[in-house]
Amino acid sequence: MASSDAVPDPASADSSVAHRLEQEHLDRVYARLDDLREHTRTRLGAVRRTGATGSHQNRSERDAFATLYEDRLAQLNAVEERLVFGRLDLAGDERRYVGRLGLSDAEHVPMLTDWRAPAARAFYQATAAHPGDVVLRRHLQTKDRQVVGIEDDVLDLDAVADTDVVLSGEGALLSALNAQRTGRMGDIVATIQAEQDAVIRSGLDGVLIVEGGPGTGKTAVALHRAAYLLYAHRQRIERSGVLLIGPSRVFLRYIEKVLPSLGETGVVAITMADLVPGIDATGTESDEVAEIKGRREWSSIIAAAVRARQRVLPERDLVVGSVRLRLLEDDVRRAQERARRTRSPHNVARVTFVRHMLSSLAAQYSEKVPGVGEDDRADIIEELRGSRDVRIALNLCWMPLSATGLLEDLYAKPHRLAEAAPRLSARDRRLLERGRGEPWTPADVLLVDEAAERIGEDDEAERSRSQADQSRREADVEYAREMLEQSGAGDGLIDAQTVAERFSSSGPELTTAERALADRRWTYGHVVIDEAQELSPMAWHALLRRNPTRSMTIVGDVSQTSSRSGARSWSQMLERPLRGRYRTSTLTVNYRTPASVMAAARAMMTAADPDHPPTPVTSAREVPDAVAVSRAEDLLTTLADVVSQERARLDGGRLAVIVPTGLRSAVVDALGGHGRIDLTQEVVVLDPTASKGLEFDVVVLAEPARILAEAGRPGDLYVAMTRPTRRLHMVHTEPLPAGLEASST
């Protein structure tokens, strides 16, 4: 595969003719794109101008069309760059252009084939040994609607027209690899390799693990796979959506433009810390505490904590007005048994418990008060419900709970945690102790999620929402009545109540992503998990709950695991939650990391953990002098000097300074930066965890031995070392870790 960064040599007649013809076709495609944009804007403007008028059906249609046109316009705007990137010449003189989305002219004649369509697969899969119907594959490099590079792969020399072949250039893939980084991930749609394409187009059903060492394109493949699945299986998964889990919010900002550039804008992209709406996980904690919270046994711990709030009180008197009733233990047990038999979450089952208890107490009330009959039963139950004694007693027997309140209780009250978690060691329980009001951590979010699943909606909160809904309905009715009176449209044919009901269901239509983000119980048609090796057992538990169909793409490399809760092997991590039902695809070529850098990283990994050698990959990048080492007397001064030298040598692009977590603030100050991580800046300072999934032209790595010691396992250092596409510079005061000694000579 090849392409060129420069305009073809005018001295080459073949190149000049090809360039002119391709530019003419590109102009036609962009003109069609502009026409479609203008048409969509016009239709959207017309829909918006209709305003909130007309019948319920008209308003619903207006909102649906507005959403449709907004989504289509966003898609058309997102594919501006490199709209066309390939051409296939097929046997029988058929010519097919390949690009970011499918386009036809006004007469419905195809102008551009969507890269995800079956008709485009040959662009990625055809080879000289197995060409199929492909005679020639052309790679087009464009910039700002101009053709700047052409390169052809001739697959059938006898069939190709020899006057229209361009064979010069450095190659499309090599050109992409050598391009400077921008702080945002770019798509690989024009340079997808055959083994990557096979993963992207793998079937929707079941769990697919995509493994591979650093730089093999796992993340890019996962994103392109999400776009492909939405294209190929839209009817099956569009309504439920696709969930993408990334390792950090920095990472999500890094990849945020990839899916829109591929024509997809509706994927829900979050971190595990964002899994529960309304919980802002800003707290931090040690890896040891996070590991305790990630253990599988928390499911039973939380279940026990919930069950402990369902108690049988000693018998006592309850005063209801002038009547004295008796809370009987047998009545409480029977009501609790009936509630548990519903198999509903705690707060939902509480409704059954309360109903049966009120029924038992109402029977007592009828016996004690002469003249009370069955007709009075509803009034009696309302009186019981309003009684302070009854309310307190029933709450004590079956306490209404909230997920956050339950978890805060466990952390703040050692006896509660000891009661629910007897299998946790006393030391583990002490590590979990903290006061109420502490910020939630990412590991807490998973426990809040589990508690919310066990507890369900608070019936008191549900009643409050119902009251608010009722108030809103009453306001809608009043507004509808005024509208009918002013317009004279009533005439007895329609009443204000009917109009108000139609108002209530005609609001703006939310996208699938917006509805999913607001609903903790949403289940997705497909889930993509990047850096999946870091997930704890509780994280898998939470994600599988959101994907009952078990249609997932799991992306990662167990050699890069840094979390204490993470995977040492896929079988160890997934055997229990998936019962071994998954398939694996392995990416084998590292397109990012220079061979010498990769060799140093592998040597360090092998020395640090001989029993778990790194995932083998073949580096596609031979970059001389890619590894440099500086011994420093003053770390901060030396770092500043190295960064200055590398910036001058780099002349643009992106440089990352990756440092031990505890050093980051000091290094940021020394380099004159600011605390916020902005990947679009020329220089960014990161700790190893924040660097996961990212890539830079140059990485300056500070104190590798300290990074290794902080993590306690080599995954963090391995990740940090394998981020650069050009050079790695290690600066250290402490001796280098084993395996890296040769790098310092």
Side-chain angles (χ1 to χ4, degrees):
M1 296 177 66
S3 176
S4 173
D5 282 332
V7 174
D9 184 358
S12 168
D14 291 348
S15 176
S16 179
V17 170
H19 183 274
R20 176 176 56 79
L21 292 175
E22 297 301 358
Q23 185 63 55
E24 289 174 356
H25 183 77
L26 188 68
D27 291 342
R28 289 193 295 272
V29 173
Y30 271 111
R32 180 59 176 162
L33 180 69
D34 289 340
D35 288 345
L36 292 172
R37 286 172 174 169
E38 184 58 33
H39 174 76
T40 305
R41 286 193 197 97
T42 300
R43 299 299 297 270
L44 178 60
V47 168
R48 286 174 171 168
R49 284 193 296 273
T50 61
T53 60
S55 68
H56 166 63
Q57 181 175 345
N58 289 342
R59 287 194 301 274
S60 296
E61 289 176 355
R62 179 206 64 210
D63 292 335
F65 277 119
T67 300
L68 176 68
Y69 293 139
E70 286 165 356
D71 290 347
R72 179 61 171 163
L73 189 58
Q75 181 189 51
L76 294 172
N77 287 334
V79 297
E80 172 69 23
E81 292 299 319
R82 295 181 298 158
L83 175 60
V84 184
F85 53 77
R87 190 186 96 187
L88 288 172
D89 289 1
L90 307 175
D93 295 328
E94 181 185 353
R95 180 167 291 179
R96 185 179 299 158
Y97 283 88
V98 180
R100 295 185 175 277
L101 81 171
L103 289 177
S104 298
D105 65 17
E107 304 301 321
H108 305 292
V109 176
M111 302 177 70
L112 189 62
T113 299
D114 193 302
W115 68 274
R116 297 167 289 186
R121 185 164 192 171
F123 185 77
Y124 302 107
Q125 291 289 338
T127 64
H130 302 284
D133 293 332
V134 180
V135 173
L136 177 143
R137 172 174 49 215
R138 170 163 290 177
H139 306 280
L140 300 171
Q141 190 169 358
T142 64
K143 183 177 181 180
D144 298 331
R145 298 193 174 194
Q146 296 295 315
V147 176
V148 297
I150 300 175
E151 179 108 10
D152 292 334
D153 297 335
V154 179
L155 304 184
D156 187 344
L157 191 58
D158 295 330
V160 74
D162 59 3
T163 59
D164 187 24
V165 177
V166 182
L167 298 176
S168 63
E170 65 170 327
L173 177 60
L174 189 58
S175 176
L177 297 180
N178 288 337
Q180 288 186 328
R181 271 45 195 170
T182 64
R184 291 286 185 265
M185 174 180 272
D187 62 71
I188 61 169
V189 65
T191 58
I192 294 170
Q193 302 300 289
E195 72 171 5
Q196 297 172 329
D197 186 66
V199 173
I200 289 168
R201 297 176 191 266
S202 182
L204 170 68
D205 295 330
V207 176
L208 173 65
I209 296 176
V210 183
E211 62 179 2
T216 52
K218 298 185 298 296
T219 296
V221 166
L223 295 172
H224 288 68
R225 175 164 167 74
Y228 170 78
L229 292 176
L230 279 165
Y231 174 88
H233 305 281
R234 195 169 298 278
Q235 287 187 335
R236 287 184 58 184
I237 61 177
E238 186 177 40
R239 292 181 67 85
S240 52
V242 173
L243 173 65
L244 170 66
I245 296 291
S248 68
R249 292 173 184 171
V250 172
F251 171 85
L252 294 180
R253 289 196 297 273
Y254 176 64
I255 67 168
E256 65 185 356
K257 294 184 179 180
V258 175
L259 281 166
S261 77
L262 298 173
E264 298 297 342
T265 58
V267 173
V268 177
I270 59 174
T271 70
M272 292 301 297
D274 305 314
L275 206 58
V276 178
I279 300 295
D280 191 12
T282 59
T284 59
E285 61 197 356
S286 70
D287 290 343
E288 185 177 9
V289 173
E291 185 277 326
I292 296 170
K293 293 177 180 179
R295 294 176 189 171
R296 186 177 290 107
E297 63 199 270
W298 274 93
S299 184
S300 57
I301 291 172
I302 288 173
V306 171
R307 181 68 179 256
R309 271 58 171 187
Q310 302 166 9
R311 299 182 295 169
V312 177
L313 300 179
E315 292 190 1
R316 63 182 65 186
D317 288 338
L318 305 175
V319 176
V320 181
S322 60
V323 180
R324 187 176 296 273
L325 306 177
R326 188 72 174 169
L327 182 71
L328 301 175
E329 292 183 14
D330 285 346
D331 287 347
V332 173
R333 288 193 181 93
R334 280 193 294 270
Q336 288 180 341
E337 288 169 4
R338 289 184 178 182
R340 291 175 187 135
R341 282 200 296 270
T342 67
R343 298 187 178 278
S344 298
H346 175 88
N347 285 340
V348 179
R350 182 178 181 275
V351 175
T352 300
F353 168 76
V354 169
R355 184 171 62 248
H356 284 284
M357 283 304 302
L358 291 176
S359 180
S360 298
L361 293 171
Q364 281 192 46
Y365 191 102
S366 297
E367 292 174 359
K368 289 179 175 290
V369 179
V372 173
E374 189 62 30
D375 293 343
D376 301 310
R377 185 176 180 83
D379 293 335
I380 295 170
I381 286 179
E382 280 307 306
E383 186 175 359
L384 291 170
R385 196 186 295 277
S387 164
R388 182 175 181 274
D389 278 8
V390 171
R391 197 165 57 246
I392 290 173
L394 297 190
N395 281 348
L396 290 174
C397 290
W398 196 293
M399 184 71 68
L401 299 174
S402 70
T404 52
L406 179 78
L407 199 58
E408 282 195 320
D409 234 21
L410 290 177
Y411 292 156
K413 298 178 179 178
H415 72 281
R416 288 288 196 190
L417 186 58
E419 174 187 50
R423 292 185 180 181
L424 285 182
S425 69
R427 180 178 182 277
D428 287 348
R429 293 199 297 269
R430 283 196 300 274
L431 287 172
L432 293 171
E433 288 181 18
R434 73 183 197 201
R436 288 183 172 276
E438 294 284 329
W440 297 112
T441 69
D444 288 330
V445 171
L446 302 174
L447 304 188
V448 171
D449 184 63
E450 180 67 18
E453 192 71 15
R454 298 279 182 176
I455 290 169
E457 288 285 346
D458 183 348
D459 60 340
E460 294 292 339
E462 185 63 35
R463 277 198 292 274
S464 296
R465 279 195 295 273
S466 296
Q467 291 172 357
D469 289 344
Q470 179 62 29
S471 297
R472 187 173 60 252
R473 283 194 295 271
E474 291 172 357
D476 285 346
V477 170
E478 183 59 31
Y479 171 75
R481 183 178 294 111
E482 292 176 2
M483 184 191 74
L484 291 174
E485 289 175 354
Q486 292 173 6
S487 65
D491 296 331
L493 298 178
I494 187 169
D495 59 21
Q497 182 70 38
T498 302
V499 174
E501 288 173 358
R502 292 180 178 179
F503 283 164
S504 67
S505 60
S506 63
E509 183 177 337
L510 297 178
T511 65
T512 297
E514 289 169 335
R515 286 183 286 125
L517 278 171
D519 186 353
R520 188 196 64 82
R521 296 168 296 179
W522 190 272
T523 57
Y524 295 85
H526 191 78
V527 175
V528 179
I529 309 164
D530 202 1
E531 302 293 347
Q533 74 276 356
E534 304 296 345
L535 298 191
S536 68
M538 284 304 294
W540 286 110
H541 189 60
L543 288 177
L544 290 173
R545 180 185 296 133
R546 287 162 171 79
N547 183 236
T549 61
R550 299 297 186 267
S551 175
M552 308 179 84
T553 301
I554 296 171
V555 181
D557 176 18
V558 293
S559 298
Q560 300 183 51
T561 302
S562 59
S563 166
R564 289 175 180 245
S565 298
R568 299 290 284 188
S569 71
W570 293 118
S571 58
Q572 166 258 322
M573 175 61 74
L574 298 176
E575 187 62 36
R576 181 165 179 175
L578 296 177
R579 298 183 177 90
R581 292 195 287 269
Y582 55 84
R583 63 191 191 277
T584 302
S585 292
T586 303
L587 301 176
T588 61
V589 180
N590 183 326
Y591 298 99
R592 175 180 66 223
T593 315
S596 56
V597 175
M598 200 65 221
R602 281 197 296 263
M604 180 278 299
M605 282 288 291
T606 302
D609 192 355
D611 295 332
H612 297 87
T615 304
V617 293
T618 300
S619 179
R621 295 178 59 76
E622 291 292 340
V623 181
D625 302 323
V627 181
V629 179
S630 296
R631 182 77 188 227
E633 293 298 325
D634 183 334
L635 180 69
L636 296 180
T637 299
T638 304
L639 271 178
D641 290 343
V642 169
V643 168
S644 177
Q645 294 165 12
E646 288 289 349
R647 288 181 68 180
R649 186 179 176 189
L650 182 60
D651 190 25
R654 296 296 178 268
L655 183 150
V657 184
I658 303 180
V659 302
T661 303
L663 278 179
R664 183 173 180 272
S665 294
V667 172
V668 168
D669 291 341
L671 297 180
H674 52 78
R676 182 176 176 271
I677 297 173
D678 182 356
L679 297 179
T680 63
Q681 296 296 310
E682 189 175 357
V683 177
V684 63
V685 182
L686 305 167
D687 62 26
T689 299
S691 74
K692 279 187 176 293
L694 310 181
E695 61 180 41
F696 305 89
D697 296 280
V698 175
V699 167
V700 179
L701 181 61
E703 296 292 21
R706 184 166 167 183
I707 290 175
L708 182 61
E710 277 187 357
R713 56 198 301 183
D716 273 359
L717 182 54
Y718 186 57
V719 168
M721 291 183 67
T722 55
R723 298 307 95 192
T725 65
R726 300 189 180 190
R727 288 185 300 283
L728 170 68
H729 201 129
M730 292 182 284
V731 180
H732 66 105
T733 59
E734 301 175 15
L736 289 172
L740 295 182
E741 303 93 336
S743 301
S744 62
T745 59

